[in-house]
Amino acid sequence: MIPKQNDSYSFSIKVKRYIKKLVLLSVSLSAVIGHSSAYGVDYRDSLKLYAHSRIVNDNQYQCFYKLITKESNWRVNAKNGSHYGIGQMRNTKYRNLDGFTQVRWSIKYMKGRYGSMCNAWHFYLKKGYH
């Protein structure tokens, strides 16, 4: 059931719950059929859905999406020198985390350092790193 804006609960909370359910469904399907893109379900797609459930504002999500795509193409095991994972963090603990936790850490880092995902993206466009 897709939430409606006039429900008694806050619309954004219902949207978050709905997206979380979609993420769980896609992860469950991934486990059942394997991570085959032939079936339209891929681990990276699950990470993107999860990220969007954590970043409800679509503009902010688009900035996050662009930055992560540029940095690692959503590869959890990406490595560039001493930087690891989807967010290319310089932390050995981050390197060993699952993709969903890497998404959470990346969001927290960008909010803490830049104030928003779009500020991080604009910094990246200007400097070539974040």
Side-chain angles (χ1 to χ4, degrees):
M1 177 180 152
I2 298 174
K4 296 182 178 133
Q5 270 184 304
N6 61 357
D7 285 347
S8 58
Y9 290 106
S10 167
F11 179 69
S12 66
I13 291 172
K14 282 198 162 199
V15 169
K16 281 184 181 182
R17 287 180 185 157
Y18 182 72
I19 291 173
K20 233 178 222 184
K21 286 179 184 178
L22 286 175
V23 169
L24 290 173
L25 176 63
S26 70
V27 170
S28 298
L29 285 172
S30 296
V32 170
I33 63 175
H35 297 297
S36 172
S37 58
Y39 294 100
V41 177
D42 178 283
Y43 185 64
R44 291 186 275 184
D45 291 335
S46 298
L47 294 176
K48 292 169 191 173
L49 275 172
Y50 179 70
H52 212 325
S53 76
R54 307 286 292 185
I55 308 167
V56 176
N57 180 295
D58 193 54
N59 288 337
Q60 293 298 318
Y61 171 75
Q62 291 302 321
C63 291
F64 183 79
Y65 174 85
K66 290 173 192 174
L67 184 56
I68 297 302
T69 300
K70 281 283 191 190
E71 287 282 22
S72 66
N73 200 26
W74 295 85
R75 290 177 298 119
V76 175
N77 60 350
K79 184 176 187 297
N80 181 14
S82 61
H83 295 81
Y84 307 99
I86 66 167
Q88 290 295 286
M89 298 231 190
R90 196 173 187 179
N91 182 325
T92 54
K93 288 180 188 174
Y94 184 82
R95 167 183 60 190
N96 299 321
L97 298 173
D98 66 280
F100 298 99
T101 307
Q102 285 187 20
V103 167
R104 280 196 313 273
W105 280 34
S106 297
I107 291 169
K108 185 177 179 180
Y109 170 78
M110 288 181 206
K111 280 184 180 177
R113 178 158 185 196
Y114 303 102
S116 74
M117 308 306 129
C118 288
N119 289 346
W121 173 239
H122 295 301
F123 183 91
Y124 178 86
L125 290 175
K126 193 181 224 181
K127 304 280 187 174
Y129 66 92
H130 76 95

